Short mmCIF file of all heavy atoms in Angstrom, two decimals:
data_model
loop_
_atom_site.label_atom_id
_atom_site.label_comp_id
_atom_site.label_asym_id
_atom_site.label_seq_id
_atom_site.Cartn_x
_atom_site.Cartn_y
_atom_site.Cartn_z
N HIS A 1 122.62 94.12 97.55
CA HIS A 1 122.38 92.93 98.37
C HIS A 1 120.99 92.34 98.18
O HIS A 1 120.64 91.38 98.85
CB HIS A 1 122.50 93.29 99.87
CG HIS A 1 123.71 94.07 100.21
ND1 HIS A 1 123.65 95.34 100.72
CD2 HIS A 1 125.02 93.78 100.09
CE1 HIS A 1 124.86 95.79 100.91
NE2 HIS A 1 125.71 94.86 100.54
N SER A 2 120.19 92.92 97.33
CA SER A 2 118.78 92.55 97.25
C SER A 2 118.40 91.95 95.90
O SER A 2 118.94 92.35 94.86
CB SER A 2 117.92 93.80 97.51
OG SER A 2 116.56 93.49 97.39
N ASP A 3 117.46 91.03 95.94
CA ASP A 3 116.87 90.51 94.71
C ASP A 3 115.65 91.33 94.30
O ASP A 3 115.10 91.13 93.22
CB ASP A 3 116.44 89.05 94.89
CG ASP A 3 117.65 88.13 95.04
OD1 ASP A 3 118.71 88.44 94.49
OD2 ASP A 3 117.52 87.10 95.72
N HIS A 4 115.19 92.23 95.17
CA HIS A 4 114.06 93.08 94.85
C HIS A 4 114.50 94.15 93.87
O HIS A 4 115.61 94.68 93.96
CB HIS A 4 113.49 93.72 96.13
CG HIS A 4 112.87 92.74 97.04
ND1 HIS A 4 111.60 92.26 96.85
CD2 HIS A 4 113.36 92.11 98.14
CE1 HIS A 4 111.32 91.39 97.81
NE2 HIS A 4 112.37 91.28 98.59
N ILE A 5 113.63 94.46 92.92
CA ILE A 5 114.00 95.38 91.85
C ILE A 5 113.21 96.68 91.90
O ILE A 5 112.18 96.77 92.56
CB ILE A 5 113.82 94.70 90.47
CG1 ILE A 5 112.37 94.27 90.24
CG2 ILE A 5 114.78 93.51 90.33
CD1 ILE A 5 112.09 93.71 88.85
N VAL A 6 113.71 97.66 91.19
CA VAL A 6 113.10 98.99 91.16
C VAL A 6 111.65 98.93 90.70
O VAL A 6 110.80 99.68 91.20
CB VAL A 6 113.93 99.94 90.27
CG1 VAL A 6 113.25 101.28 90.10
CG2 VAL A 6 115.33 100.12 90.86
N ALA A 7 111.31 98.03 89.80
CA ALA A 7 109.93 97.90 89.32
C ALA A 7 108.96 97.63 90.48
O ALA A 7 107.82 98.09 90.44
CB ALA A 7 109.82 96.80 88.28
N GLU A 8 109.40 96.93 91.50
CA GLU A 8 108.55 96.69 92.66
C GLU A 8 108.21 97.99 93.38
O GLU A 8 107.08 98.20 93.82
CB GLU A 8 109.22 95.73 93.63
CG GLU A 8 109.36 94.32 93.08
CD GLU A 8 110.09 93.42 94.03
OE1 GLU A 8 109.48 92.99 95.04
OE2 GLU A 8 111.27 93.15 93.77
N ALA A 9 109.20 98.87 93.47
CA ALA A 9 108.97 100.17 94.10
C ALA A 9 108.02 101.02 93.27
O ALA A 9 107.12 101.67 93.80
CB ALA A 9 110.30 100.91 94.28
N VAL A 10 108.19 100.98 91.96
CA VAL A 10 107.31 101.74 91.07
C VAL A 10 105.88 101.22 91.17
O VAL A 10 104.93 102.01 91.24
CB VAL A 10 107.83 101.68 89.62
CG1 VAL A 10 106.83 102.28 88.64
CG2 VAL A 10 109.17 102.41 89.51
N GLU A 11 105.71 99.93 91.21
CA GLU A 11 104.38 99.35 91.38
C GLU A 11 103.76 99.79 92.71
O GLU A 11 102.57 100.09 92.77
CB GLU A 11 104.44 97.82 91.32
CG GLU A 11 104.54 97.28 89.92
CD GLU A 11 103.29 97.51 89.10
OE1 GLU A 11 102.18 97.20 89.56
OE2 GLU A 11 103.44 98.04 87.98
N ALA A 12 104.58 99.84 93.75
CA ALA A 12 104.08 100.29 95.07
C ALA A 12 103.58 101.72 95.00
O ALA A 12 102.56 102.06 95.59
CB ALA A 12 105.17 100.15 96.12
N VAL A 13 104.27 102.56 94.25
CA VAL A 13 103.87 103.97 94.11
C VAL A 13 102.62 104.07 93.23
O VAL A 13 101.65 104.74 93.60
CB VAL A 13 105.02 104.81 93.51
CG1 VAL A 13 104.54 106.20 93.12
CG2 VAL A 13 106.17 104.89 94.51
N GLU A 14 102.63 103.41 92.10
CA GLU A 14 101.55 103.56 91.12
C GLU A 14 100.27 102.82 91.48
O GLU A 14 99.19 103.25 91.09
CB GLU A 14 102.04 103.12 89.74
CG GLU A 14 103.10 104.06 89.18
CD GLU A 14 103.60 103.64 87.81
OE1 GLU A 14 103.23 102.54 87.32
OE2 GLU A 14 104.37 104.41 87.23
N HIS A 15 100.37 101.71 92.22
CA HIS A 15 99.18 100.89 92.45
C HIS A 15 98.84 100.61 93.91
O HIS A 15 97.79 100.04 94.19
CB HIS A 15 99.31 99.56 91.69
CG HIS A 15 99.46 99.75 90.22
ND1 HIS A 15 98.42 100.14 89.41
CD2 HIS A 15 100.54 99.65 89.41
CE1 HIS A 15 98.85 100.25 88.17
NE2 HIS A 15 100.14 99.97 88.14
N GLU A 16 99.75 100.98 94.82
CA GLU A 16 99.50 100.70 96.24
C GLU A 16 99.47 101.96 97.09
O GLU A 16 99.34 101.87 98.31
CB GLU A 16 100.56 99.74 96.77
CG GLU A 16 100.54 98.38 96.10
CD GLU A 16 101.64 97.48 96.59
OE1 GLU A 16 102.19 97.72 97.69
OE2 GLU A 16 101.97 96.51 95.88
N GLY A 17 99.63 103.10 96.47
CA GLY A 17 99.53 104.35 97.19
C GLY A 17 100.76 104.75 97.99
O GLY A 17 100.69 105.66 98.82
N ALA A 18 101.88 104.09 97.76
CA ALA A 18 103.10 104.50 98.46
C ALA A 18 103.52 105.87 97.96
O ALA A 18 103.55 106.12 96.76
CB ALA A 18 104.22 103.48 98.21
N ALA A 19 103.83 106.75 98.89
CA ALA A 19 104.19 108.12 98.50
C ALA A 19 105.60 108.49 98.93
O ALA A 19 106.17 109.43 98.40
CB ALA A 19 103.20 109.11 99.11
N ARG A 20 106.14 107.78 99.89
CA ARG A 20 107.45 108.11 100.46
C ARG A 20 108.39 106.92 100.34
O ARG A 20 107.96 105.77 100.33
CB ARG A 20 107.30 108.48 101.94
CG ARG A 20 106.31 109.58 102.28
CD ARG A 20 106.65 110.94 101.70
NE ARG A 20 108.02 111.35 101.96
CZ ARG A 20 108.39 112.14 102.95
NH1 ARG A 20 107.50 112.61 103.80
NH2 ARG A 20 109.67 112.45 103.11
N LEU A 21 109.67 107.20 100.30
CA LEU A 21 110.68 106.15 100.23
C LEU A 21 110.56 105.20 101.42
O LEU A 21 110.64 103.98 101.26
CB LEU A 21 112.07 106.77 100.18
CG LEU A 21 113.24 105.80 100.06
CD1 LEU A 21 113.19 105.03 98.74
CD2 LEU A 21 114.56 106.54 100.21
N ALA A 22 110.33 105.76 102.60
CA ALA A 22 110.20 104.92 103.80
C ALA A 22 109.04 103.94 103.66
O ALA A 22 109.15 102.77 104.05
CB ALA A 22 110.01 105.78 105.04
N ASP A 23 107.94 104.39 103.11
CA ASP A 23 106.79 103.50 102.91
C ASP A 23 107.16 102.36 101.96
O ASP A 23 106.83 101.21 102.20
CB ASP A 23 105.60 104.30 102.37
CG ASP A 23 104.32 103.50 102.36
OD1 ASP A 23 104.18 102.57 103.17
OD2 ASP A 23 103.45 103.81 101.53
N ILE A 24 107.88 102.69 100.90
CA ILE A 24 108.29 101.66 99.94
C ILE A 24 109.22 100.66 100.61
O ILE A 24 108.98 99.44 100.56
CB ILE A 24 109.01 102.30 98.73
CG1 ILE A 24 108.06 103.18 97.93
CG2 ILE A 24 109.63 101.22 97.85
CD1 ILE A 24 108.74 104.09 96.92
N LEU A 25 110.28 101.13 101.27
CA LEU A 25 111.33 100.26 101.78
C LEU A 25 110.99 99.56 103.09
O LEU A 25 111.59 98.53 103.40
CB LEU A 25 112.62 101.05 101.95
CG LEU A 25 113.19 101.68 100.69
CD1 LEU A 25 114.45 102.48 101.03
CD2 LEU A 25 113.48 100.64 99.62
N LEU A 26 110.05 100.09 103.85
CA LEU A 26 109.70 99.48 105.14
C LEU A 26 108.39 98.70 105.11
O LEU A 26 108.20 97.79 105.91
CB LEU A 26 109.62 100.54 106.24
CG LEU A 26 110.94 101.17 106.63
CD1 LEU A 26 110.72 102.39 107.51
CD2 LEU A 26 111.83 100.14 107.33
N ARG A 27 107.47 99.07 104.22
CA ARG A 27 106.16 98.42 104.25
C ARG A 27 105.76 97.74 102.94
O ARG A 27 105.19 96.65 102.97
CB ARG A 27 105.10 99.46 104.64
CG ARG A 27 105.17 99.81 106.12
CD ARG A 27 104.22 100.91 106.50
NE ARG A 27 104.67 102.22 106.06
CZ ARG A 27 105.65 102.92 106.63
NH1 ARG A 27 106.31 102.42 107.65
NH2 ARG A 27 105.97 104.11 106.18
N ARG A 28 106.01 98.33 101.82
CA ARG A 28 105.55 97.75 100.54
C ARG A 28 106.51 96.69 100.01
O ARG A 28 106.10 95.64 99.57
CB ARG A 28 105.35 98.84 99.49
CG ARG A 28 104.51 100.01 99.93
CD ARG A 28 103.17 99.57 100.49
NE ARG A 28 102.50 100.73 101.06
CZ ARG A 28 101.25 101.03 100.87
NH1 ARG A 28 100.48 100.24 100.16
NH2 ARG A 28 100.74 102.10 101.42
N VAL A 29 107.79 97.01 99.99
CA VAL A 29 108.85 96.08 99.60
C VAL A 29 109.82 96.11 100.78
O VAL A 29 110.82 96.80 100.74
CB VAL A 29 109.56 96.55 98.30
CG1 VAL A 29 110.55 95.50 97.84
CG2 VAL A 29 108.58 96.89 97.20
N PRO A 30 109.53 95.41 101.86
CA PRO A 30 110.22 95.64 103.13
C PRO A 30 111.69 95.19 103.17
O PRO A 30 112.12 94.51 104.09
CB PRO A 30 109.36 94.87 104.13
CG PRO A 30 108.72 93.80 103.33
CD PRO A 30 108.50 94.39 101.96
N VAL A 31 112.46 95.62 102.19
CA VAL A 31 113.87 95.26 102.14
C VAL A 31 114.68 95.95 103.23
O VAL A 31 115.72 95.44 103.65
CB VAL A 31 114.49 95.57 100.77
CG1 VAL A 31 113.90 94.69 99.69
CG2 VAL A 31 114.34 97.03 100.40
N ALA A 32 114.25 97.11 103.70
CA ALA A 32 115.02 97.85 104.70
C ALA A 32 114.96 97.19 106.08
O ALA A 32 115.61 97.66 107.00
CB ALA A 32 114.53 99.29 104.78
N LEU A 33 114.23 96.10 106.19
CA LEU A 33 114.18 95.37 107.45
C LEU A 33 115.13 94.17 107.45
O LEU A 33 115.22 93.47 108.45
CB LEU A 33 112.75 94.90 107.73
CG LEU A 33 111.72 96.02 107.85
CD1 LEU A 33 110.33 95.44 108.05
CD2 LEU A 33 112.09 96.98 108.97
N SER A 34 115.82 93.96 106.34
CA SER A 34 116.74 92.83 106.27
C SER A 34 117.99 93.10 107.09
O SER A 34 118.35 94.25 107.36
CB SER A 34 117.11 92.52 104.81
OG SER A 34 117.89 93.57 104.28
N ALA A 35 118.67 92.05 107.49
CA ALA A 35 119.83 92.17 108.37
C ALA A 35 120.98 92.94 107.74
O ALA A 35 121.73 93.60 108.44
CB ALA A 35 120.30 90.78 108.79
N CYS A 36 121.14 92.87 106.43
CA CYS A 36 122.28 93.52 105.80
C CYS A 36 121.99 94.94 105.33
O CYS A 36 122.87 95.62 104.81
CB CYS A 36 122.78 92.68 104.63
SG CYS A 36 121.70 92.70 103.18
#
């Protein structure tokens, strides 16, 4: 359902200090907050 890609998650881990899936999906690439 998303236009966001895995590369965004990898960038969040490698360059933004994201360490957990929740951090990626809720704060760095906040797709987990979408209605669907």
Side-chain angles (χ1 to χ4, degrees):
H1 313 117
S2 178
D3 291 331
H4 293 279
I5 60 174
V6 174
E8 292 177 76
V10 171
E11 281 293 309
V13 169
E14 292 180 353
H15 300 287
E16 297 177 20
R20 306 296 310 264
L21 182 64
D23 189 27
I24 295 167
L25 299 178
L26 291 169
R27 287 175 285 285
R28 309 307 172 134
V29 186
V31 294
L33 300 177
S34 68
C36 72

